[in-house]
Amino acid sequence: MPPLRHPLINSRYPHLLHGGDYNPDQWPLRPDILAEDIRLMKQAGCNTLSVGIFAWATLEPEEGRFEFEWLDRTMDDLAKAGLHAILATPSGARPHWMAQKYPEVLSVEPNRTRRLFGLRHNHCPTSPVYREKCAQINSLLAERYGKHPALLVWHVSNEYSSGYCHCPLCQEAFRDWLRRRHGTLEALNQAWWTTFWSHTYTDWSQIESPAPHGEHFLHALNLDWRRFATDQTVDFMKNEIAPLRAHSPEIPVTTNLMGFFYDLNPWKLAPELDVISWDSYPDWGAPQGDVAVGFRTAFAHDLNRSLKGGRPFMLMESTPSVVNWRDVAKLKRPGMHLLSSLQAVAHGADTVQYFQWRKSRGASEKFHGAVVDHVGHEHTRVFKDVAEVGGVLAKLDAVAGSGVPAEIALVFDWENRWALDDAQGPRKSKGYEDACHAHYHAFWKRGLPVDVLHMDGDFSSYRLVVAPMLYLVRPGVAERLEAFVEAGGTLVVTYWSGIVDANDLCFLGGFPGPLRRLLGIWAEEIDALHDGETNRVLPSAGNRLGLARHYEARELCDLIHAESAGVLATYGQDFYAGRPALTENRFGKGRAYYVAARLDANFHEDFTGALATELGLRSALPGTLPEGLSVQIRSDGTHDFLFLMNFLPHENTVDLGTETLEDLLGGGALRGPLTLPGFGCRVLRRLSTS
Ligand code: GLA
Ligand code: ZN
């Protein structure tokens, strides 16, 4: 279990933060609107606004001429009103003059075409000019505002995502990076298996990033290119952060991440940041239903909390109503705004921030949700929803800084994801996220808190570690998993694990490679099923976990041999009927399970239930939870805060049991059955059981 008491986002402000992206730079001609903004912020219960995110052209309208008066006014106005600022560095987009004078700041596409000026998040991360310009503007901002009473947090850039620039500068940087990683060209050729199709490199200059009209099936190249893109982004970010820390070491630094965004490995960015923040845009109201959207969003919140060892994170962006970039911009139903905001807090957020405070009048986001609509006043449904959240957060000061008592770690690893998806076979769509969701959903339904780790994470403080589809295994991982199980931990690994090493080279001598001894099995072959095809998995009579139902297998079925492991279930059909489908290996004081096939929700329910009972895992609320109701727990070690959240559009009743719980929002004490309205939520407090 990670620690339960953490530093506040900023120790000067012992409250949950509430606010959003604020763009006074878009309204220079409307002082009346700017004055009105401050009044409305107070009215909405907002306390902290994010300023300057895309303001470079306003800050530096021509090269070397800086205009800070508007930002001085904004920061002073916020401070005077008792409000705070999250101040951004502007590198998410740059002024026209810069791209015109220094085209190298613009990134180059995989087809080797340099982008024209436009859009955002598309700079070259290597360009010395861009790095210098960023360092300069960041220094000026930090010098000027680093000690400003309004400033709480530095917001570096916006949604870093442009690490994949294919310009000549980036190619050279990639080659240098490869020299550092592999040492010699011989070693690189060996690691990348370049004798295949006669692709042996004989000079470093022959190495090019993956290209649609060039090399893109050399999977180890693809993997190293992705690693490089993350490292180059981290390097770029460090260049941005240095002047901020130099001028204002006491102000925490964050950058807004994007949940399970594919192209950057957030575990590499996290150590450089003081606080994690992320932008969450779930598709509430989507046809799959809000329960499905709800548990997937929960998983992403848990990832962000786990990125810094359980330290509370910032929900940096969310929408107060619609997201305009989806195919269908559905309104949040009544209740959903409070529910989705509190869901973030339930999983460890100490802030609820929005994109955006006031709707822009023109350009591409003029129809994106905002606290203040084009009508300009507070008499809107959305404004009232936001003010309600403001009122609720103000009652939850005690929650700030508390942690989540997770006894379970779920491994989700970016390099594994990239390598797995890129491989040809055994199926085009591998479903890594789905595999993780299937386990996560079973925990969510039982109110069992979960941390999300990468494979290099520290497993030692958990009772149960689940590593679905651990296809790529980096050096040291198997040894650490062995140590974890040996010391009494329980491990679950699934089909298609232990297949390649960190260079994407297959393990020789039998899968699951370095995990074979721990799992006590040999995976000889894997069968891929067409969509709609199924097999059956039948629990063995008298199996120790008490599994009793028949389960359905889809998509991937490993054909394994139990070596030291015992068999808990077998396949029911096809030529491999009778072969093991679920095994258990005793290893030291612990046990390691292998789930050989992608199994249905009934399996996950039964298997998770059996493990939870056997290990005595503590759920947030004892007893069975009704479908669609999530209970999450935060705790500071003295008090537990229980968040009860109904993701169904109709009433749902939960049994609180005999214990008396304090209702932090409504006041009073509660026990026994509690009925929540559709999309209803409650926050309760009890003496800690953690
Ligand atoms: C992202 C960006 C914001 C805005 C929102 C809209 O998260 O950071 O600038 O574009 O999306 O949903
Ligand atoms: Zn570049």
Side-chain angles (χ1 to χ4, degrees), residues 104-108 114 123-127 162-171:
E104 69 165 64
V105 304
L106 300 173
S107 64
V108 168
R114 195 175 291 278
H123 61 263
C124 167
T126 306
S127 159
S162 58
Y164 291 80
C165 170
H166 299 255
C167 80
L169 293 167
C170 287
Q171 302 291 349

Short mmCIF file of all heavy atoms in Angstrom, two decimals, residues 104-108 114 123-127 162-171, ligand 2:
data_model
loop_
_atom_site.label_atom_id
_atom_site.label_comp_id
_atom_site.label_asym_id
_atom_site.label_seq_id
_atom_site.Cartn_x
_atom_site.Cartn_y
_atom_site.Cartn_z
N GLU A 104 12.76 25.93 -38.76
CA GLU A 104 13.14 24.71 -38.03
C GLU A 104 12.31 24.46 -36.78
O GLU A 104 12.32 23.36 -36.24
CB GLU A 104 14.63 24.74 -37.64
CG GLU A 104 14.95 25.77 -36.57
CD GLU A 104 16.33 25.56 -35.93
OE1 GLU A 104 17.33 25.68 -36.65
OE2 GLU A 104 16.39 25.30 -34.70
N VAL A 105 11.57 25.47 -36.31
CA VAL A 105 10.73 25.25 -35.12
C VAL A 105 9.51 24.38 -35.44
O VAL A 105 8.89 23.81 -34.55
CB VAL A 105 10.28 26.57 -34.44
CG1 VAL A 105 11.49 27.43 -34.08
CG2 VAL A 105 9.29 27.35 -35.30
N LEU A 106 9.19 24.30 -36.73
CA LEU A 106 8.04 23.47 -37.14
C LEU A 106 8.49 22.04 -37.35
O LEU A 106 9.57 21.78 -37.88
CB LEU A 106 7.44 24.02 -38.44
CG LEU A 106 6.93 25.45 -38.40
CD1 LEU A 106 6.52 25.90 -39.80
CD2 LEU A 106 5.74 25.57 -37.45
N SER A 107 7.64 21.10 -36.99
CA SER A 107 8.05 19.70 -37.09
C SER A 107 7.90 19.17 -38.51
O SER A 107 7.21 19.76 -39.35
CB SER A 107 7.25 18.85 -36.11
OG SER A 107 5.90 18.86 -36.47
N VAL A 108 8.56 18.04 -38.75
CA VAL A 108 8.52 17.36 -40.05
C VAL A 108 7.74 16.06 -39.90
O VAL A 108 7.94 15.31 -38.93
CB VAL A 108 9.96 17.11 -40.56
CG1 VAL A 108 9.97 16.17 -41.76
CG2 VAL A 108 10.62 18.44 -40.92
N ARG A 114 7.92 19.16 -44.24
CA ARG A 114 7.82 20.07 -43.09
C ARG A 114 6.44 20.68 -43.05
O ARG A 114 5.87 21.06 -44.08
CB ARG A 114 8.89 21.17 -43.16
CG ARG A 114 9.03 21.89 -41.82
CD ARG A 114 10.16 22.91 -41.79
NE ARG A 114 11.50 22.33 -41.84
CZ ARG A 114 12.16 21.83 -40.79
NH1 ARG A 114 11.59 21.83 -39.60
NH2 ARG A 114 13.37 21.35 -40.92
N HIS A 123 5.71 21.39 -32.58
CA HIS A 123 7.06 21.93 -32.74
C HIS A 123 8.07 20.80 -32.87
O HIS A 123 7.78 19.65 -32.56
CB HIS A 123 7.42 22.80 -31.54
CG HIS A 123 7.41 22.05 -30.24
ND1 HIS A 123 6.32 22.05 -29.39
CD2 HIS A 123 8.34 21.25 -29.67
CE1 HIS A 123 6.60 21.29 -28.35
NE2 HIS A 123 7.82 20.79 -28.49
N CYS A 124 9.26 21.17 -33.33
CA CYS A 124 10.37 20.22 -33.31
C CYS A 124 10.97 20.23 -31.91
O CYS A 124 11.37 21.29 -31.42
CB CYS A 124 11.42 20.65 -34.33
SG CYS A 124 12.97 19.76 -34.10
N PRO A 125 11.07 19.07 -31.25
CA PRO A 125 11.58 19.08 -29.87
C PRO A 125 13.10 19.24 -29.81
O PRO A 125 13.65 19.46 -28.73
CB PRO A 125 11.17 17.70 -29.34
CG PRO A 125 11.10 16.83 -30.55
CD PRO A 125 10.67 17.72 -31.69
N THR A 126 13.77 19.13 -30.96
CA THR A 126 15.23 19.21 -30.97
C THR A 126 15.72 20.62 -31.32
O THR A 126 16.78 21.04 -30.85
CB THR A 126 15.80 18.20 -31.99
OG1 THR A 126 15.26 16.91 -31.69
CG2 THR A 126 17.32 18.12 -31.95
N SER A 127 14.96 21.35 -32.13
CA SER A 127 15.38 22.65 -32.64
C SER A 127 16.05 23.53 -31.58
O SER A 127 15.40 23.94 -30.61
CB SER A 127 14.15 23.39 -33.20
OG SER A 127 14.41 24.77 -33.25
N SER A 162 4.37 16.21 -29.32
CA SER A 162 5.01 16.41 -30.62
C SER A 162 6.44 15.88 -30.64
O SER A 162 7.31 16.43 -31.29
CB SER A 162 5.01 17.89 -30.96
OG SER A 162 5.67 18.59 -29.94
N GLY A 163 6.67 14.75 -29.95
CA GLY A 163 8.02 14.21 -29.95
C GLY A 163 8.44 13.56 -31.25
O GLY A 163 9.61 13.26 -31.46
N TYR A 164 7.48 13.35 -32.15
CA TYR A 164 7.78 12.58 -33.36
C TYR A 164 8.07 13.46 -34.56
O TYR A 164 7.39 13.40 -35.57
CB TYR A 164 6.61 11.62 -33.66
CG TYR A 164 6.48 10.52 -32.64
CD1 TYR A 164 5.86 10.74 -31.43
CD2 TYR A 164 7.00 9.26 -32.90
CE1 TYR A 164 5.76 9.73 -30.48
CE2 TYR A 164 6.91 8.24 -31.96
CZ TYR A 164 6.29 8.49 -30.76
OH TYR A 164 6.19 7.48 -29.83
N CYS A 165 9.08 14.30 -34.43
CA CYS A 165 9.48 15.14 -35.56
C CYS A 165 10.56 14.39 -36.34
O CYS A 165 11.49 13.83 -35.75
CB CYS A 165 10.01 16.47 -35.03
SG CYS A 165 10.80 17.46 -36.30
N HIS A 166 10.45 14.38 -37.67
CA HIS A 166 11.37 13.60 -38.50
C HIS A 166 12.36 14.49 -39.25
O HIS A 166 12.84 14.13 -40.31
CB HIS A 166 10.57 12.73 -39.49
CG HIS A 166 9.67 11.73 -38.82
ND1 HIS A 166 9.94 10.39 -38.76
CD2 HIS A 166 8.50 11.91 -38.14
CE1 HIS A 166 8.97 9.76 -38.11
NE2 HIS A 166 8.09 10.66 -37.72
N CYS A 167 12.65 15.68 -38.72
CA CYS A 167 13.54 16.61 -39.40
C CYS A 167 14.99 16.13 -39.30
O CYS A 167 15.31 15.25 -38.50
CB CYS A 167 13.39 18.01 -38.79
SG CYS A 167 14.29 18.22 -37.26
N PRO A 168 15.89 16.73 -40.08
CA PRO A 168 17.30 16.31 -40.01
C PRO A 168 17.91 16.45 -38.61
O PRO A 168 18.71 15.62 -38.19
CB PRO A 168 18.00 17.25 -41.02
CG PRO A 168 16.91 17.66 -41.97
CD PRO A 168 15.65 17.70 -41.17
N LEU A 169 17.50 17.48 -37.86
CA LEU A 169 18.04 17.65 -36.51
C LEU A 169 17.62 16.49 -35.62
O LEU A 169 18.40 15.97 -34.81
CB LEU A 169 17.53 18.97 -35.90
CG LEU A 169 18.01 20.26 -36.54
CD1 LEU A 169 17.18 21.45 -36.04
CD2 LEU A 169 19.49 20.48 -36.21
N CYS A 170 16.36 16.08 -35.77
CA CYS A 170 15.86 14.96 -34.96
C CYS A 170 16.51 13.64 -35.39
O CYS A 170 16.78 12.78 -34.55
CB CYS A 170 14.34 14.88 -35.04
SG CYS A 170 13.52 16.21 -34.10
N GLN A 171 16.76 13.48 -36.69
CA GLN A 171 17.43 12.25 -37.15
C GLN A 171 18.81 12.14 -36.52
O GLN A 171 19.22 11.07 -36.06
CB GLN A 171 17.60 12.26 -38.69
CG GLN A 171 16.32 12.39 -39.48
CD GLN A 171 15.41 11.16 -39.40
OE1 GLN A 171 15.80 10.12 -38.91
NE2 GLN A 171 14.18 11.32 -39.86
ZN ZN B 2 12.83 17.93 -35.48
#
